[in-house]
Amino acid sequence: MSFDVIVVGGGPAGATAAYQMGRAGAKVLLLDKAKEFPRDKPCGGGLSARLLHRFPYVREFLESGEVPVNPIRRVHLESPDSTRVTYGQNDPVLYLIRRWEFDAALFRRAQGVCTVRNGVMIRRCEVKPTHVELESTEGEIFTAPVLIGADSANSVIARHTGLRSEAAHKEYAVDMMEETDYSRLQVADREAIYLFLTLTQTFGYGYIFPKTEHLNLGFGCKLDWYLTALRGKGAEHHAGWVETLKQKGDVTGETDRSRYKAFPIPVSGPLAQTFTDRVLLAGDAGGFVNAFTAEGIFYAMASGSLAADTVLEAMRSQRYDKRQLSAYQRAWQREIGDDLRHSVEIQHRLFNGSGRMDSLVRNAKHDPELLRLIIGYSMGAARYEELRSYMMRSTVPTWVWGKMKAAVGLSA
Ligand SMILES: Cc1cc2nc3c(=O)[nH]c(=O)nc-3n(C[C@H](O)[C@H](O)[C@H](O)COP(=O)(O)OP(=O)(O)OC[C@H]3O[C@@H](n4cnc5c(N)ncnc54)[C@H](O)[C@@H]3O)c2cc1C
């Protein structure tokens, strides 16, 4: 059977792209190395409200109970010096799901309109003059005029097309986490998430995300630091992190070693180029993750959707060259480009020594508007410009601010 397009990877990026193209009438082949769905994917499972606006069918998953959800209305934020502040609001700030159920729901929708092959791990990708050729670890060959690579942080497609370099350790973080049943591990406040701005040299965070039936907690650091300080000791470090949370009084019960997993996240912004002849990259494969918060599901689905639009347009003209596919890069830059660029800037500024984090949280403790903006920005609800201009105003003395406003003709 011949296909118009192949999608490699059936996570949020690939399943979104495949569903959109299949529904528009394209003949789509969706390949995933997982033998079946549901499959496990280490993740905090935090969905931002903007994801539900951009993809209203996700709201239906949550409302129908197809995907169990814990709506979160409170956030406990802690700085490296252990200053803690709590933020609350009436509407949910975040929706916590398990990827086990969420990804299976997305995958099922794609399956309804595409040809799906599970248990196919792609190990080679080659762009030929007339098509793209893929080879699986079993030696099976797949071809199509165009391809979307949505095969995650270690993307074979990104490396084999030369879009991502082989050795880029500093571009990644490693998140070490467990997702364990409440019968074993419990949290003091199940209606809140806990965020710890806990530095490990230059970058690091911890979190507790209570799902409906499971407690999810973890710790992230840059990959280069992980390789120097934690290689082979990740599980041990994780157990120590759980002990720290117990001492803080946030968690009770026991860690489950068998539920521990470590997984890479690209945290340096999108790749400089996310397309080439006959190939587009979406989701983690293209680096579409917020470099400050490590939110990736929204960006995976948004980039998957924009890649699908680009392929559908290319199919109309039957042109799959770089020039045609460059429309993809312009489309994501318009929708999420500034947001992702700012997230890298914030990461560099804030994760640059613990002092800035400490003073930010200490100031937020006494300034409810600053706290609202920090949480709002972190959860994708407030714009970077709002946060930045508020921070600038609150750090500039009032009389200087008055003079500045007068100088540009605003009432002081
Ligand atoms: C521990 C952790 C916590 C996180 N927490 C959050 C959070 O709370 N909220 C949030 O928004 N984001 C979070 N993220 C980021 C988020 O998980 C990712 O950005 C998101 O999963 C990216 O989706 P994707 O579709 O690109 O890739 P994935 O979800 O990784 O899906 C890729 C798919 O490709 C398949 N695949 C991979 N290689 C091949 C191959 N060679 N051949 C065939 N198939 C292949 C895999 O089996 C998989 O199904 C977290 C990440 C981690 C690691």
Side-chain angles (χ1 to χ4, degrees):
M1 189 171 173
S2 69
F3 294 96
D4 296 322
V5 50
I6 298 178
V7 179
V8 182
T16 302
Y19 172 68
Q20 202 168 307
M21 294 186 295
R23 215 170 62 137
K27 281 191 279 170
V28 184
L29 174 62
L30 174 60
L31 303 173
D32 200 291
K33 67 179 180 184
K35 290 205 169 61
E36 57 182 9
F37 273 70
R39 56 99 177 89
D40 198 15
K41 159 75 179 93
C43 184
L47 305 182
S48 54
R50 67 180 158 184
L51 187 152
L52 275 56
H53 290 298
R54 174 75 160 84
F55 301 97
Y57 55 83
V58 170
R59 190 178 284 282
E60 286 165 29
F61 294 161
L62 308 185
E63 285 173 357
S64 67
E66 182 178 0
V67 177
V69 58
N70 186 15
I72 296 296
R73 293 183 169 81
R74 236 184 344 267
V75 180
H76 303 297
L77 180 68
E78 192 177 298
S79 63
D81 70 359
S82 298
T83 304
R84 189 174 283 203
V85 56
T86 297
Y87 172 80
Q89 67 177 42
N90 291 333
D91 292 332
V93 284
L94 199 67
Y95 298 82
L96 293 187
I97 48 85
R98 287 185 81 208
R99 294 291 296 275
W100 179 264
E101 290 128 351
F102 180 71
D103 287 19
L106 291 178
F107 195 79
R108 265 194 299 277
R109 278 171 76 89
Q111 210 161 12
V113 290
C114 305
T115 302
V116 165
R117 287 278 311 275
N118 277 117
V120 176
M121 179 158 175
I122 296 304
R123 69 157 188 206
R124 182 177 65 82
C125 167
E126 209 175 314
V127 180
K128 307 255 184 181
T130 54
H131 61 277
V132 190
E133 185 176 286
L134 299 173
E135 185 182 349
S136 74
T137 46
E138 304 291 307
E140 201 174 349
I141 301 290
F142 302 90
T143 61
V146 62
L147 161 78
I148 296 179
D151 52 338
S152 205
N154 294 322
S155 172
V156 170
I157 309 299
R159 281 182 284 114
H160 285 210
T161 50
L163 291 170
R164 188 187 277 284
S165 65
E166 294 278 347
H169 288 164
K170 63 180 184 318
E171 290 176 19
Y172 292 93
V174 176
D175 195 307
M176 296 158 274
M177 57 150 278
E178 75 175 286
E179 190 171 73
T180 297
D181 208 276
Y182 283 128
S183 60
R184 188 170 171 125
L185 201 56
Q186 302 86 32
V187 63
D189 185 357
R190 244 196 234 190
E191 289 166 7
I193 55 168
Y194 297 66
L195 299 175
F196 301 88
L197 304 171
T198 307
L199 286 175
T200 52
Q201 286 193 340
T202 56
F203 178 94
Y205 58 83
Y207 61 92
I208 308 175
F209 279 15
K211 311 278 173 83
T212 52
E213 306 291 335
H214 297 80
L215 189 61
N216 185 178
L217 52 84
F219 189 96
C221 63
K222 275 280 174 81
L223 176 58
D224 45 9
W225 190 78
Y226 174 87
L227 292 173
T228 1
L230 291 182
R231 194 199 284 267
K233 293 184 284 193
E236 208 181 302
H237 180 272
H238 174 76
W241 175 236
V242 177
E243 278 311 308
T244 306
L245 296 176
K246 282 162 83 170
Q247 278 157 22
K248 286 178 187 287
D250 298 328
V251 165
T252 49
E254 295 307 320
T255 176
D256 181 348
R257 172 71 182 83
S258 70
R259 305 290 305 158
Y260 165 80
K261 288 212 168 107
F263 204 81
I265 316 179
V267 286
S268 298
L271 296 176
Q273 194 173 314
T274 52
F275 64 94
T276 185
D277 291 322
R278 300 186 180 278
V279 177
L280 303 169
L281 299 176
D284 282 11
F288 294 100
V289 173
N290 186 299
F292 172 53
T293 61
E295 177 184 4
I297 304 170
F298 165 73
Y299 301 101
M301 293 181 67
S303 59
S305 169
L306 297 169
D309 287 342
T310 310
V311 167
L312 290 169
E313 187 56 37
M315 280 171 60
R316 277 178 214 118
S317 59
Q318 291 290 302
R319 278 189 48 211
Y320 302 103
D321 55 288
K322 260 191 221 164
R323 204 182 148 96
Q324 174 73 29
L325 299 186
S326 66
Y328 172 54
Q329 186 109 358
R330 290 192 293 280
W332 69 250
Q333 275 170 346
R334 261 193 311 276
E335 184 177 340
I336 50 178
D338 282 350
D339 187 15
L340 290 171
R341 190 166 46 78
H342 293 147
S343 75
V344 177
E345 274 172 33
I346 296 198
Q347 185 206 96
H348 291 169
R349 282 199 196 147
L350 277 185
F351 287 107
N352 184 14
S354 58
R356 287 187 182 168
M357 295 285 201
D358 291 336
S359 57
L360 187 70
V361 178
R362 252 185 270 127
N363 290 344
K365 203 171 165 93
H366 305 291
D367 184 343
E369 180 59 7
L370 177 61
L371 180 60
R372 185 188 73 78
L373 286 169
I374 293 170
I375 300 298
Y377 173 72
S378 307
M379 303 296 145
R383 286 182 313 115
Y384 170 67
E385 288 81 2
E386 279 179 85
L387 174 61
R388 196 181 56 174
S389 93
Y390 186 83
M391 282 171 71
M392 276 177 66
R393 266 184 288 149
S394 53
T395 50
V396 175
T398 320
W399 66 271
V400 178
W401 182 238
K403 282 192 183 308
M404 278 165 59
K405 274 174 139 181
V408 291
L410 295 171
S411 57

